[in-house]
Amino acid sequence: MFRVEINSTRDVRALETEWLRFQDQAAGTFFQTYQWCSAWLATAGAAQNATPLIVTGRDPSGALLFILPFCVRRRQGCRVLEWMGGQQMTYGYGLYDRAFLRDAASWFATQGWAIFSELKEVDAIDLAEMPAQWEGSAHPLTSWFTLAGPNCSYLLRLDGDYEKVYGRKRSGETRRGNRKRDAKLNKAAKIEVGLPRDRDHAHRLIEQMFEQQRDRLAESGIHGVFNEHERQFVHHLIDLPDHMQPVLLPCYMTADGELEAVALGGLHGGGFWALISSLGSPRLRRYSPGDALLRRTIETCCGMGLTFFDFSSGSFDYKLAWADEEVRLHHAMRGLTLRGYGWALTRIARLAVKRGVKRTPFLWNAVLAARRTLFGQAA
């Protein structure tokens, strides 16, 4: 069993060099990279008064074994420990030395709770969106799981040959249908697909993407997503210094010179991590421009030599059609004080109800229909 020295710090910048070096070789996800966490803390996290609390584990020589990027935030009067990253975080995981990963689940099950023994300022923990398996290993915090979450994520395995991936995942009939729709789309408008020319171009694309997404979500009765600080967060990722780039890959499509669709993802660990997608005016939707851009984005990722495409959470038909793996997500919730126990029990009950609704098609479809009827805005 590994001997582990546990430390915690609130000084993110003090770990920058070591964190960046460690994440390049560690097991982890895009959402625990220094780029993601530091950008979120400087923008959306600051607006929510989130206080960083990064827990590190080291072997006796001082070498890093893991980094757990937590933060503390007040929720309903409780001081709650969470993963950094906000609502756009798909996976709660951490960064782990690959040799330590073999014993990590056992270590956290028997000794890991010592992490919380000194956290006097925390009432409860709420560690969300944790995959049961990642890279073929159990999540190191499996023993902490409280309940399965309402969401799943989806993963497509890539190789350098897009046509091989496309043929493996989509039937001949579907491919023929796509070719016909693509031909109609190109006949209806002058279509161009590409990547931003420079940072200024990327900023303009991202801002238009947010406007498109806001309007599209409003059609379904969803409002208030991507506030000012969350927008600043994404723009901040574009402005990170050169030694931290590339972070984002925004593939876009224009129709007659106007932005029609954007597929925004992050780059880390040889993969594309889908973040946000948007569609423009309804006039071309009959030709499925979003699906066309998705296929071109996957093709671009194959050409870049990426090995996987993560579709993020949410059970949509297009994800089910493309995915090789379904990733079930779990939550860990515990009270650490009397107030925290009450908060955690309420949170668990709410999540259990949400999971039951989402996994009952009749109920979930009824909720979606009611939301569109009561709150939806026409395109």
Side-chain angles (χ1 to χ4, degrees), residues 192-197 201 205 250-254 259-263 293 297:
E192 294 184 2
V193 176
L195 298 171
R197 298 181 296 274
H201 187 200
L205 285 173
C251 295
Y252 71 90
M253 173 188 289
T254 59
L259 188 66
E260 181 61 29
V262 177
L293 180 59
T297 303

Side-chain angles (χ1 to χ4, degrees), residues 223-353:
H223 304 278
V225 178
F226 304 120
N227 61 34
E228 174 189 353
H229 304 292
E230 289 167 333
R231 292 185 180 207
Q232 289 173 357
F233 169 36
V234 178
H235 284 293
H236 195 98
L237 289 168
I238 296 170
D239 285 331
L240 289 172
D242 289 342
H243 75 279
M244 295 187 193
Q245 298 288 355
V247 179
L248 299 180
L249 185 71
C251 295
Y252 71 90
M253 173 188 289
T254 59
D256 293 330
E258 299 292 328
L259 188 66
E260 181 61 29
V262 177
L264 175 68
L267 294 173
H268 174 68
F272 177 94
W273 309 76
L275 297 173
I276 307 168
S277 60
S278 70
L279 283 175
S281 65
R283 72 182 182 94
L284 297 176
R285 287 186 193 169
R286 74 186 74 175
Y287 308 123
S288 301
D291 180 72
L293 180 59
L294 172 62
R295 284 182 273 116
R296 291 293 296 273
T297 303
I298 294 173
E299 183 177 11
T300 298
C301 291
C302 288
M304 294 173 64
L306 301 184
T307 58
F308 64 90
F309 190 107
D310 186 277
F311 284 94
S312 76
S313 58
S315 299
F316 296 97
D317 288 343
Y318 76 92
K319 297 181 183 182
L320 298 174
W322 278 100
D324 291 314
E325 300 175 28
E326 179 184 81
V327 182
R328 294 197 171 272
L329 303 174
H330 298 256
H331 292 246
M333 278 164 284
R334 297 285 192 284
L336 301 179
T337 66
L338 184 60
R339 175 182 293 181
Y341 282 122
W343 185 91
L345 287 172
T346 302
R347 171 74 168 145
I348 289 169
R350 288 175 177 172
L351 267 177
V353 170

Side-chain angles (χ1 to χ4, degrees), residues 115-177:
I115 289 171
F116 302 106
S117 61
E118 302 299 324
L119 300 184
K120 305 302 183 185
E121 73 275 35
V122 174
D123 294 308
I125 67 170
D126 183 8
L127 303 180
E129 313 296 356
M130 296 193 288
Q133 295 274 332
W134 192 255
E135 295 188 8
S137 296
H139 196 301
L141 309 186
T142 299
S143 61
W144 296 8
F145 289 0
T146 308
L147 78 167
N151 299 318
C152 294
S153 189
Y154 298 89
L155 203 69
L156 169 67
R157 296 295 174 186
L158 304 178
D159 58 35
D161 187 344
Y162 166 72
E163 291 300 329
K164 182 179 177 181
V165 174
Y166 188 31
R168 176 169 60 83
K169 298 306 301 181
R170 312 302 280 148
S171 68
E173 181 180 357
T174 298
R175 298 198 301 275
R176 285 190 294 273

Side-chain angles (χ1 to χ4, degrees), residues 1 6 19 35 40 54 60 81 101 128 133 149 170 181 207 221 223 234 238 256 262 291 302 314 332 340 353 358:
M1 181 68 69
I6 301 170
W19 192 334
Q35 292 92 323
W40 181 81
I54 301 95
L81 187 80
L101 193 61
Q133 295 274 332
R170 312 302 280 148
R181 272 198 309 276
E207 200 54 36
H223 304 278
V234 178
I238 296 170
D256 293 330
V262 177
D291 180 72
C302 288
V353 170
K358 279 197 165 186

